[in-house]
Amino acid sequence: MLAVSAVLRLALALGTDVYFDTAYYWQWARHLAWGYYDHPPLAAWLVAVLGIHATALVCGALTVAAVWGLARDVYGDSAAAWRAAALWSVVPVGMVAGVWATPDSPLLLFWTLGLWALWRERWVW
């Protein structure tokens, strides 16, 4: 399921036109700043460094990997981690965030990494 969703994301990212929101962030990437009127700057900075399609694909793949790591630590079982990663890879929001470079792509990645870090440091609670 993970391989099929990865191929599907790649086909969607490379086979479709630039989405109007993505064009908006690409325009920001041409004129980088510390912040923008309605969004934080990370999407523009990633588009400037990686490009439009690579930003979404990299953030999507890293989010799947972070979901896998979080599930492995929470359940202590790699089979459960593979199931969680497979399920995340076909959830519509996960699929879209892995295809279009919007602020949601890095947001989901860092949200998952933040949850994983909180779980690993749960003694702080």
Side-chain angles (χ1 to χ4, degrees):
M1 187 180 291
L2 286 169
V4 169
S5 70
V7 169
L8 183 60
R9 281 184 192 178
L10 185 63
L12 285 172
L14 299 178
T16 58
D17 288 335
V18 174
Y19 186 60
F20 66 89
D21 275 355
T22 306
Y24 184 51
Y25 308 125
W26 174 78
Q27 189 69 350
W28 287 357
R30 295 179 59 212
H31 308 284
L32 293 174
W34 289 108
Y36 300 95
Y37 177 69
D38 57 349
H39 286 298
L42 185 59
W45 286 81
L46 286 173
V47 168
V49 171
L50 299 173
I52 293 174
H53 298 299
T55 295
L57 292 171
V58 167
C59 286
L62 290 176
T63 303
V64 170
V67 166
W68 185 90
L70 174 62
R72 184 201 59 209
D73 285 355
V74 169
Y75 295 106
D77 181 23
S78 64
W82 286 112
R83 285 192 300 273
L87 287 172
W88 176 256
S89 69
V90 297
V91 170
V93 70
M95 185 64 81
V96 168
V99 173
W100 292 331
T102 65
D104 298 332
S105 301
L107 174 73
L108 288 171
L109 171 61
F110 287 106
W111 180 254
T112 306
L113 290 173
L115 287 175
W116 191 11
L118 281 173
W119 177 261
R120 291 183 64 88
E121 299 298 327
R122 61 187 175 274
W123 59 269
V124 174
W125 297 356

